Amino acid sequence: MKPKLNFEGIAGPINGVLFDLDDTLIDRRAAFRLWLTAAMNHWLRGIAKEERDKEIEHLIEIDKSGLTPRYHFFSYVRDRYRKFNIPPESLAMQYYADILEYTCLALGADQLLRSLTERETPFGIVTNGSDHQMHKAARVGLANQATCILISEHFGYRKPHPHIFLEASKRLNVNPREILFVGDQPDIDIIGAHHFGMRTAWVRHGKAWPECLPAQAVDLICDSLLQITIIQAN
């Protein structure tokens, strides 16, 4: 029988781990900033650096950590910089191709996944999005490591719908109450997993837990995956 793990700050044994992808296993914020800086240097050539930097910060705000649909984001970009005569769909396709160059694992992800693999503990990924999510996972080597990768566009349900959490627990072959779900979105990742009976770890990125959400939904609050610590195996 595979050992069940105990994590610091998490009550009870864990026999499987599920992760969100963007800004959890992958440092999407860093990748987006690097891509956007390169793009703005190209788009706004001849504009003073201080002005470009202001535009970068503005577009990061509009992007809302990727929650703004790409068509809406690039429609805004096209309208803001009138010299573009490029359809938003074309801008989005180029973005999907270019940002892979900047995609990397989040701080602590490699160490945590290595620890899980060494202990033969299955882990999977549950992410909202499209095929692009699989491309990003493959870029950083996750496609060959994860027991399962569930992408909402393929599966037909988005987090926090219980069906996607149910399917992930089936693919891990682990009781939901022995699964730790790690994510960065309180209302999508943490609440969804908690309602399905999973233990939860919230990567907060400097944010406070929303007062409108029940505090008991989150078992562990951390600043990075480095703080998710296996303390022993049963």
mmCIF file of all heavy atoms in Angstrom, residues 121-165:
data_model
loop_
_atom_site.group_PDB
_atom_site.id
_atom_site.type_symbol
_atom_site.label_atom_id
_atom_site.label_comp_id
_atom_site.label_asym_id
_atom_site.label_seq_id
_atom_site.Cartn_x
_atom_site.Cartn_y
_atom_site.Cartn_z
ATOM 1 N N THR A 121 3.117 9.348 -4.693
ATOM 2 C CA THR A 121 1.817 9.971 -4.442
ATOM 3 C C THR A 121 1.308 10.580 -5.742
ATOM 4 O O THR A 121 1.973 11.450 -6.328
ATOM 5 C CB THR A 121 1.944 11.072 -3.370
ATOM 6 O OG1 THR A 121 2.438 10.484 -2.171
ATOM 7 C CG2 THR A 121 0.602 11.729 -3.102
ATOM 8 N N PRO A 122 0.140 10.160 -6.220
ATOM 9 C CA PRO A 122 -0.361 10.692 -7.495
ATOM 10 C C PRO A 122 -0.743 12.158 -7.385
ATOM 11 O O PRO A 122 -1.234 12.616 -6.352
ATOM 12 C CB PRO A 122 -1.592 9.824 -7.778
ATOM 13 C CG PRO A 122 -2.061 9.368 -6.435
ATOM 14 C CD PRO A 122 -0.812 9.205 -5.609
ATOM 15 N N PHE A 123 -0.520 12.901 -8.461
ATOM 16 C CA PHE A 123 -0.973 14.288 -8.501
ATOM 17 C C PHE A 123 -1.534 14.582 -9.887
ATOM 18 O O PHE A 123 -1.181 13.942 -10.889
ATOM 19 C CB PHE A 123 0.152 15.267 -8.154
ATOM 20 C CG PHE A 123 1.229 15.408 -9.196
ATOM 21 C CD1 PHE A 123 1.094 16.322 -10.234
ATOM 22 C CD2 PHE A 123 2.377 14.634 -9.138
ATOM 23 C CE1 PHE A 123 2.087 16.465 -11.190
ATOM 24 C CE2 PHE A 123 3.381 14.769 -10.088
ATOM 25 C CZ PHE A 123 3.225 15.694 -11.119
ATOM 26 N N GLY A 124 -2.444 15.532 -9.919
ATOM 27 C CA GLY A 124 -3.067 15.910 -11.184
ATOM 28 C C GLY A 124 -3.280 17.402 -11.256
ATOM 29 O O GLY A 124 -3.003 18.142 -10.310
ATOM 30 N N ILE A 125 -3.790 17.844 -12.408
ATOM 31 C CA ILE A 125 -4.028 19.260 -12.673
ATOM 32 C C ILE A 125 -5.477 19.437 -13.088
ATOM 33 O O ILE A 125 -5.994 18.676 -13.917
ATOM 34 C CB ILE A 125 -3.094 19.770 -13.786
ATOM 35 C CG1 ILE A 125 -1.624 19.669 -13.348
ATOM 36 C CG2 ILE A 125 -3.438 21.201 -14.184
ATOM 37 C CD1 ILE A 125 -0.623 19.874 -14.473
ATOM 38 N N VAL A 126 -6.135 20.425 -12.503
ATOM 39 C CA VAL A 126 -7.505 20.773 -12.876
ATOM 40 C C VAL A 126 -7.503 22.256 -13.215
ATOM 41 O O VAL A 126 -7.263 23.091 -12.342
ATOM 42 C CB VAL A 126 -8.506 20.486 -11.742
ATOM 43 C CG1 VAL A 126 -9.925 20.786 -12.196
ATOM 44 C CG2 VAL A 126 -8.397 19.038 -11.270
ATOM 45 N N THR A 127 -7.762 22.586 -14.474
ATOM 46 C CA THR A 127 -7.627 23.974 -14.911
ATOM 47 C C THR A 127 -8.774 24.387 -15.823
ATOM 48 O O THR A 127 -9.242 23.589 -16.650
ATOM 49 C CB THR A 127 -6.279 24.178 -15.644
ATOM 50 O OG1 THR A 127 -6.196 25.520 -16.138
ATOM 51 C CG2 THR A 127 -6.121 23.227 -16.815
ATOM 52 N N ASN A 128 -9.243 25.591 -15.645
ATOM 53 C CA ASN A 128 -10.177 26.174 -16.596
ATOM 54 C C ASN A 128 -9.393 26.697 -17.791
ATOM 55 O O ASN A 128 -8.303 27.246 -17.622
ATOM 56 C CB ASN A 128 -10.971 27.319 -15.958
ATOM 57 C CG ASN A 128 -11.964 26.827 -14.920
ATOM 58 O OD1 ASN A 128 -12.289 25.638 -14.853
ATOM 59 N ND2 ASN A 128 -12.450 27.731 -14.097
ATOM 60 N N GLY A 129 -9.949 26.529 -18.987
ATOM 61 C CA GLY A 129 -9.254 27.038 -20.161
ATOM 62 C C GLY A 129 -9.403 26.142 -21.368
ATOM 63 O O GLY A 129 -10.304 25.295 -21.438
ATOM 64 N N SER A 130 -8.481 26.330 -22.313
ATOM 65 C CA SER A 130 -8.544 25.659 -23.617
ATOM 66 C C SER A 130 -7.311 24.781 -23.823
ATOM 67 O O SER A 130 -6.547 24.522 -22.898
ATOM 68 C CB SER A 130 -8.613 26.731 -24.713
ATOM 69 O OG SER A 130 -7.415 27.500 -24.707
ATOM 70 N N ASP A 131 -7.114 24.362 -25.083
ATOM 71 C CA ASP A 131 -5.944 23.548 -25.442
ATOM 72 C C ASP A 131 -4.634 24.206 -25.036
ATOM 73 O O ASP A 131 -3.641 23.516 -24.792
ATOM 74 C CB ASP A 131 -5.905 23.319 -26.963
ATOM 75 C CG ASP A 131 -6.820 22.193 -27.398
ATOM 76 O OD1 ASP A 131 -7.193 21.371 -26.558
ATOM 77 O OD2 ASP A 131 -7.161 22.158 -28.595
ATOM 78 N N HIS A 132 -4.628 25.520 -24.989
ATOM 79 C CA HIS A 132 -3.405 26.245 -24.637
ATOM 80 C C HIS A 132 -2.880 25.816 -23.267
ATOM 81 O O HIS A 132 -1.663 25.820 -23.042
ATOM 82 C CB HIS A 132 -3.674 27.750 -24.653
ATOM 83 C CG HIS A 132 -2.476 28.582 -24.376
ATOM 84 N ND1 HIS A 132 -1.330 28.541 -25.142
ATOM 85 C CD2 HIS A 132 -2.233 29.492 -23.385
ATOM 86 C CE1 HIS A 132 -0.437 29.382 -24.653
ATOM 87 N NE2 HIS A 132 -0.957 29.966 -23.593
ATOM 88 N N GLN A 133 -3.767 25.424 -22.372
ATOM 89 C CA GLN A 133 -3.343 24.974 -21.050
ATOM 90 C C GLN A 133 -2.464 23.726 -21.161
ATOM 91 O O GLN A 133 -1.472 23.588 -20.449
ATOM 92 C CB GLN A 133 -4.551 24.701 -20.159
ATOM 93 C CG GLN A 133 -5.426 25.916 -19.896
ATOM 94 C CD GLN A 133 -4.687 27.026 -19.187
ATOM 95 O OE1 GLN A 133 -4.012 27.834 -19.811
ATOM 96 N NE2 GLN A 133 -4.793 27.065 -17.871
ATOM 97 N N MET A 134 -2.827 22.810 -22.057
ATOM 98 C CA MET A 134 -2.012 21.609 -22.245
ATOM 99 C C MET A 134 -0.659 21.957 -22.855
ATOM 100 O O MET A 134 0.364 21.375 -22.498
ATOM 101 C CB MET A 134 -2.746 20.608 -23.138
ATOM 102 C CG MET A 134 -2.002 19.287 -23.314
ATOM 103 S SD MET A 134 -1.762 18.386 -21.741
ATOM 104 C CE MET A 134 -3.399 17.655 -21.557
ATOM 105 N N HIS A 135 -0.640 22.925 -23.749
ATOM 106 C CA HIS A 135 0.633 23.355 -24.346
ATOM 107 C C HIS A 135 1.570 23.917 -23.280
ATOM 108 O O HIS A 135 2.778 23.655 -23.286
ATOM 109 C CB HIS A 135 0.380 24.399 -25.430
ATOM 110 C CG HIS A 135 -0.427 23.884 -26.578
ATOM 111 N ND1 HIS A 135 -1.159 24.705 -27.406
ATOM 112 C CD2 HIS A 135 -0.637 22.626 -27.025
ATOM 113 C CE1 HIS A 135 -1.765 23.987 -28.323
ATOM 114 N NE2 HIS A 135 -1.470 22.713 -28.107
ATOM 115 N N LYS A 136 1.005 24.691 -22.346
ATOM 116 C CA LYS A 136 1.828 25.252 -21.269
ATOM 117 C C LYS A 136 2.331 24.145 -20.346
ATOM 118 O O LYS A 136 3.495 24.158 -19.922
ATOM 119 C CB LYS A 136 1.027 26.289 -20.482
ATOM 120 C CG LYS A 136 0.792 27.581 -21.227
ATOM 121 C CD LYS A 136 0.222 28.665 -20.332
ATOM 122 C CE LYS A 136 -1.196 28.407 -19.932
ATOM 123 N NZ LYS A 136 -1.823 29.530 -19.216
ATOM 124 N N ALA A 137 1.449 23.204 -20.027
ATOM 125 C CA ALA A 137 1.852 22.088 -19.167
ATOM 126 C C ALA A 137 2.974 21.288 -19.819
ATOM 127 O O ALA A 137 3.938 20.876 -19.152
ATOM 128 C CB ALA A 137 0.653 21.201 -18.858
ATOM 129 N N ALA A 138 2.861 21.060 -21.120
ATOM 130 C CA ALA A 138 3.889 20.314 -21.840
ATOM 131 C C ALA A 138 5.200 21.092 -21.869
ATOM 132 O O ALA A 138 6.285 20.501 -21.762
ATOM 133 C CB ALA A 138 3.414 20.014 -23.258
ATOM 134 N N ARG A 139 5.110 22.394 -22.004
ATOM 135 C CA ARG A 139 6.302 23.243 -22.087
ATOM 136 C C ARG A 139 7.201 23.077 -20.871
ATOM 137 O O ARG A 139 8.435 23.087 -20.984
ATOM 138 C CB ARG A 139 5.867 24.708 -22.219
ATOM 139 C CG ARG A 139 6.962 25.736 -22.080
ATOM 140 C CD ARG A 139 7.829 25.807 -23.283
ATOM 141 N NE ARG A 139 8.885 26.811 -23.137
ATOM 142 C CZ ARG A 139 9.792 27.080 -24.061
ATOM 143 N NH1 ARG A 139 9.784 26.449 -25.217
ATOM 144 N NH2 ARG A 139 10.715 27.989 -23.848
ATOM 145 N N VAL A 140 6.593 22.914 -19.683
ATOM 146 C CA VAL A 140 7.381 22.809 -18.453
ATOM 147 C C VAL A 140 7.493 21.362 -17.953
ATOM 148 O O VAL A 140 7.916 21.124 -16.832
ATOM 149 C CB VAL A 140 6.810 23.721 -17.351
ATOM 150 C CG1 VAL A 140 6.927 25.180 -17.756
ATOM 151 C CG2 VAL A 140 5.356 23.372 -17.038
ATOM 152 N N GLY A 141 7.100 20.399 -18.786
ATOM 153 C CA GLY A 141 7.290 18.989 -18.452
ATOM 154 C C GLY A 141 6.200 18.359 -17.608
ATOM 155 O O GLY A 141 6.336 17.214 -17.187
ATOM 156 N N LEU A 142 5.105 19.081 -17.378
ATOM 157 C CA LEU A 142 4.052 18.540 -16.512
ATOM 158 C C LEU A 142 3.189 17.494 -17.214
ATOM 159 O O LEU A 142 2.607 16.629 -16.562
ATOM 160 C CB LEU A 142 3.153 19.678 -16.013
ATOM 161 C CG LEU A 142 3.817 20.677 -15.071
ATOM 162 C CD1 LEU A 142 2.878 21.851 -14.802
ATOM 163 C CD2 LEU A 142 4.212 20.010 -13.769
ATOM 164 N N ALA A 143 3.093 17.585 -18.530
ATOM 165 C CA ALA A 143 2.218 16.671 -19.265
ATOM 166 C C ALA A 143 2.635 15.218 -19.082
ATOM 167 O O ALA A 143 1.787 14.313 -19.081
ATOM 168 C CB ALA A 143 2.206 17.041 -20.745
ATOM 169 N N ASN A 144 3.920 14.990 -18.899
ATOM 170 C CA ASN A 144 4.417 13.617 -18.730
ATOM 171 C C ASN A 144 4.490 13.194 -17.271
ATOM 172 O O ASN A 144 4.724 12.015 -16.984
ATOM 173 C CB ASN A 144 5.810 13.490 -19.359
ATOM 174 C CG ASN A 144 5.791 13.693 -20.859
ATOM 175 O OD1 ASN A 144 4.832 13.318 -21.526
ATOM 176 N ND2 ASN A 144 6.844 14.284 -21.399
ATOM 177 N N GLN A 145 4.309 14.130 -16.337
ATOM 178 C CA GLN A 145 4.419 13.806 -14.927
ATOM 179 C C GLN A 145 3.073 13.570 -14.253
ATOM 180 O O GLN A 145 2.957 12.706 -13.382
ATOM 181 C CB GLN A 145 5.122 14.947 -14.175
ATOM 182 C CG GLN A 145 6.560 15.198 -14.571
ATOM 183 C CD GLN A 145 7.162 16.300 -13.726
ATOM 184 O OE1 GLN A 145 7.186 16.242 -12.502
ATOM 185 N NE2 GLN A 145 7.645 17.347 -14.380
ATOM 186 N N ALA A 146 2.069 14.345 -14.650
ATOM 187 C CA ALA A 146 0.788 14.313 -13.948
ATOM 188 C C ALA A 146 0.013 13.031 -14.246
ATOM 189 O O ALA A 146 0.017 12.538 -15.380
ATOM 190 C CB ALA A 146 -0.043 15.526 -14.345
ATOM 191 N N THR A 147 -0.655 12.513 -13.220
ATOM 192 C CA THR A 147 -1.534 11.355 -13.407
ATOM 193 C C THR A 147 -2.706 11.728 -14.294
ATOM 194 O O THR A 147 -3.176 10.919 -15.101
ATOM 195 C CB THR A 147 -2.046 10.862 -12.039
ATOM 196 O OG1 THR A 147 -0.928 10.483 -11.228
ATOM 197 C CG2 THR A 147 -2.982 9.678 -12.191
ATOM 198 N N CYS A 148 -3.208 12.949 -14.157
ATOM 199 C CA CYS A 148 -4.304 13.420 -14.997
ATOM 200 C C CYS A 148 -4.203 14.918 -15.185
ATOM 201 O O CYS A 148 -3.675 15.624 -14.327
ATOM 202 C CB CYS A 148 -5.658 13.040 -14.397
ATOM 203 S SG CYS A 148 -6.027 13.861 -12.827
ATOM 204 N N ILE A 149 -4.693 15.395 -16.316
ATOM 205 C CA ILE A 149 -4.839 16.826 -16.563
ATOM 206 C C ILE A 149 -6.246 17.047 -17.098
ATOM 207 O O ILE A 149 -6.589 16.570 -18.191
ATOM 208 C CB ILE A 149 -3.804 17.355 -17.568
ATOM 209 C CG1 ILE A 149 -2.382 17.146 -17.047
ATOM 210 C CG2 ILE A 149 -4.050 18.839 -17.855
ATOM 211 C CD1 ILE A 149 -1.281 17.606 -17.994
ATOM 212 N N LEU A 150 -7.068 17.722 -16.319
ATOM 213 C CA LEU A 150 -8.439 18.013 -16.716
ATOM 214 C C LEU A 150 -8.541 19.474 -17.120
ATOM 215 O O LEU A 150 -8.248 20.366 -16.316
ATOM 216 C CB LEU A 150 -9.407 17.725 -15.567
ATOM 217 C CG LEU A 150 -9.850 16.272 -15.397
ATOM 218 C CD1 LEU A 150 -10.682 16.126 -14.136
ATOM 219 C CD2 LEU A 150 -10.647 15.801 -16.592
ATOM 220 N N ILE A 151 -8.955 19.715 -18.360
ATOM 221 C CA ILE A 151 -9.112 21.064 -18.888
ATOM 222 C C ILE A 151 -10.591 21.304 -19.140
ATOM 223 O O ILE A 151 -11.255 20.503 -19.808
ATOM 224 C CB ILE A 151 -8.296 21.237 -20.180
ATOM 225 C CG1 ILE A 151 -6.806 20.983 -19.902
ATOM 226 C CG2 ILE A 151 -8.496 22.622 -20.775
ATOM 227 C CD1 ILE A 151 -5.945 20.933 -21.150
ATOM 228 N N SER A 152 -11.107 22.389 -18.629
ATOM 229 C CA SER A 152 -12.556 22.611 -18.641
ATOM 230 C C SER A 152 -13.152 22.567 -20.042
ATOM 231 O O SER A 152 -14.238 22.009 -20.241
ATOM 232 C CB SER A 152 -12.884 23.950 -17.967
ATOM 233 O OG SER A 152 -12.347 25.032 -18.696
ATOM 234 N N GLU A 153 -12.471 23.140 -21.025
ATOM 235 C CA GLU A 153 -13.025 23.179 -22.376
ATOM 236 C C GLU A 153 -13.207 21.779 -22.943
ATOM 237 O O GLU A 153 -14.138 21.525 -23.714
ATOM 238 C CB GLU A 153 -12.125 24.011 -23.289
ATOM 239 C CG GLU A 153 -12.733 24.285 -24.657
ATOM 240 C CD GLU A 153 -11.891 25.227 -25.479
ATOM 241 O OE1 GLU A 153 -12.015 26.455 -25.264
ATOM 242 O OE2 GLU A 153 -11.106 24.748 -26.319
ATOM 243 N N HIS A 154 -12.339 20.845 -22.559
ATOM 244 C CA HIS A 154 -12.472 19.462 -23.015
ATOM 245 C C HIS A 154 -13.524 18.716 -22.198
ATOM 246 O O HIS A 154 -14.315 17.941 -22.735
ATOM 247 C CB HIS A 154 -11.132 18.722 -22.880
ATOM 248 C CG HIS A 154 -10.099 19.200 -23.831
ATOM 249 N ND1 HIS A 154 -8.789 18.774 -23.778
ATOM 250 C CD2 HIS A 154 -10.158 20.067 -24.870
ATOM 251 C CE1 HIS A 154 -8.095 19.355 -24.729
ATOM 252 N NE2 HIS A 154 -8.895 20.147 -25.402
ATOM 253 N N PHE A 155 -13.508 18.949 -20.893
ATOM 254 C CA PHE A 155 -14.360 18.167 -20.004
ATOM 255 C C PHE A 155 -15.819 18.614 -20.051
ATOM 256 O O PHE A 155 -16.731 17.815 -19.854
ATOM 257 C CB PHE A 155 -13.825 18.261 -18.564
ATOM 258 C CG PHE A 155 -14.584 17.419 -17.591
ATOM 259 C CD1 PHE A 155 -14.596 16.041 -17.698
ATOM 260 C CD2 PHE A 155 -15.313 18.012 -16.568
ATOM 261 C CE1 PHE A 155 -15.311 15.263 -16.797
ATOM 262 C CE2 PHE A 155 -16.024 17.251 -15.663
ATOM 263 C CZ PHE A 155 -16.028 15.860 -15.783
ATOM 264 N N GLY A 156 -16.057 19.885 -20.301
ATOM 265 C CA GLY A 156 -17.424 20.380 -20.397
ATOM 266 C C GLY A 156 -17.936 21.071 -19.151
ATOM 267 O O GLY A 156 -19.058 21.591 -19.151
ATOM 268 N N TYR A 157 -17.148 21.074 -18.090
ATOM 269 C CA TYR A 157 -17.497 21.793 -16.860
ATOM 270 C C TYR A 157 -16.286 22.585 -16.389
ATOM 271 O O TYR A 157 -15.155 22.122 -16.504
ATOM 272 C CB TYR A 157 -17.928 20.832 -15.749
ATOM 273 C CG TYR A 157 -19.250 20.160 -15.995
ATOM 274 C CD1 TYR A 157 -19.313 18.915 -16.615
ATOM 275 C CD2 TYR A 157 -20.440 20.769 -15.612
ATOM 276 C CE1 TYR A 157 -20.535 18.289 -16.851
ATOM 277 C CE2 TYR A 157 -21.665 20.146 -15.836
ATOM 278 C CZ TYR A 157 -21.701 18.918 -16.459
ATOM 279 O OH TYR A 157 -22.906 18.298 -16.684
ATOM 280 N N ARG A 158 -16.552 23.761 -15.837
ATOM 281 C CA ARG A 158 -15.507 24.614 -15.304
ATOM 282 C C ARG A 158 -15.514 24.579 -13.782
ATOM 283 O O ARG A 158 -16.572 24.408 -13.166
ATOM 284 C CB ARG A 158 -15.720 26.073 -15.749
ATOM 285 C CG ARG A 158 -15.572 26.304 -17.233
ATOM 286 C CD ARG A 158 -15.965 27.739 -17.614
ATOM 287 N NE ARG A 158 -15.148 28.727 -16.937
ATOM 288 C CZ ARG A 158 -13.956 29.146 -17.360
ATOM 289 N NH1 ARG A 158 -13.437 28.653 -18.472
ATOM 290 N NH2 ARG A 158 -13.276 30.049 -16.685
ATOM 291 N N LYS A 159 -14.343 24.706 -13.184
ATOM 292 C CA LYS A 159 -14.306 24.944 -11.742
ATOM 293 C C LYS A 159 -15.118 26.204 -11.458
ATOM 294 O O LYS A 159 -15.045 27.162 -12.240
ATOM 295 C CB LYS A 159 -12.863 25.145 -11.264
ATOM 296 C CG LYS A 159 -11.971 23.947 -11.385
ATOM 297 C CD LYS A 159 -10.542 24.265 -10.938
ATOM 298 C CE LYS A 159 -9.867 25.307 -11.817
ATOM 299 N NZ LYS A 159 -8.463 25.572 -11.428
ATOM 300 N N PRO A 160 -15.921 26.251 -10.423
ATOM 301 C CA PRO A 160 -15.981 25.327 -9.277
ATOM 302 C C PRO A 160 -17.052 24.246 -9.372
ATOM 303 O O PRO A 160 -17.483 23.728 -8.338
ATOM 304 C CB PRO A 160 -16.304 26.281 -8.132
ATOM 305 C CG PRO A 160 -17.194 27.308 -8.750
ATOM 306 C CD PRO A 160 -16.665 27.507 -10.147
ATOM 307 N N HIS A 161 -17.504 23.879 -10.576
ATOM 308 C CA HIS A 161 -18.542 22.853 -10.692
ATOM 309 C C HIS A 161 -18.041 21.534 -10.096
ATOM 310 O O HIS A 161 -16.909 21.109 -10.361
ATOM 311 C CB HIS A 161 -18.932 22.637 -12.151
ATOM 312 C CG HIS A 161 -20.253 21.946 -12.311
ATOM 313 N ND1 HIS A 161 -20.410 20.598 -12.066
ATOM 314 C CD2 HIS A 161 -21.475 22.420 -12.653
ATOM 315 C CE1 HIS A 161 -21.675 20.267 -12.281
ATOM 316 N NE2 HIS A 161 -22.349 21.352 -12.628
ATOM 317 N N PRO A 162 -18.859 20.858 -9.285
ATOM 318 C CA PRO A 162 -18.396 19.626 -8.621
ATOM 319 C C PRO A 162 -18.021 18.503 -9.578
ATOM 320 O O PRO A 162 -17.197 17.650 -9.233
ATOM 321 C CB PRO A 162 -19.581 19.231 -7.731
ATOM 322 C CG PRO A 162 -20.762 19.966 -8.274
ATOM 323 C CD PRO A 162 -20.224 21.232 -8.848
ATOM 324 N N HIS A 163 -18.596 18.481 -10.792
ATOM 325 C CA HIS A 163 -18.308 17.372 -11.709
ATOM 326 C C HIS A 163 -16.824 17.281 -12.060
ATOM 327 O O HIS A 163 -16.285 16.179 -12.216
ATOM 328 C CB HIS A 163 -19.125 17.528 -12.995
ATOM 329 C CG HIS A 163 -20.559 17.145 -12.867
ATOM 330 N ND1 HIS A 163 -21.127 16.731 -11.677
ATOM 331 C CD2 HIS A 163 -21.569 17.108 -13.794
ATOM 332 C CE1 HIS A 163 -22.394 16.461 -11.864
ATOM 333 N NE2 HIS A 163 -22.697 16.693 -13.139
ATOM 334 N N ILE A 164 -16.166 18.427 -12.203
ATOM 335 C CA ILE A 164 -14.760 18.386 -12.606
ATOM 336 C C ILE A 164 -13.883 17.905 -11.447
ATOM 337 O O ILE A 164 -12.896 17.190 -11.646
ATOM 338 C CB ILE A 164 -14.299 19.753 -13.161
ATOM 339 C CG1 ILE A 164 -13.017 19.583 -13.992
ATOM 340 C CG2 ILE A 164 -14.123 20.800 -12.067
ATOM 341 C CD1 ILE A 164 -12.683 20.786 -14.865
ATOM 342 N N PHE A 165 -14.270 18.242 -10.205
ATOM 343 C CA PHE A 165 -13.540 17.730 -9.044
ATOM 344 C C PHE A 165 -13.784 16.234 -8.863
ATOM 345 O O PHE A 165 -12.873 15.477 -8.503
ATOM 346 C CB PHE A 165 -13.956 18.498 -7.782
ATOM 347 C CG PHE A 165 -13.531 19.936 -7.779
ATOM 348 C CD1 PHE A 165 -14.443 20.947 -8.083
ATOM 349 C CD2 PHE A 165 -12.228 20.298 -7.488
ATOM 350 C CE1 PHE A 165 -14.057 22.277 -8.089
ATOM 351 C CE2 PHE A 165 -11.827 21.626 -7.496
ATOM 352 C CZ PHE A 165 -12.748 22.623 -7.792
#
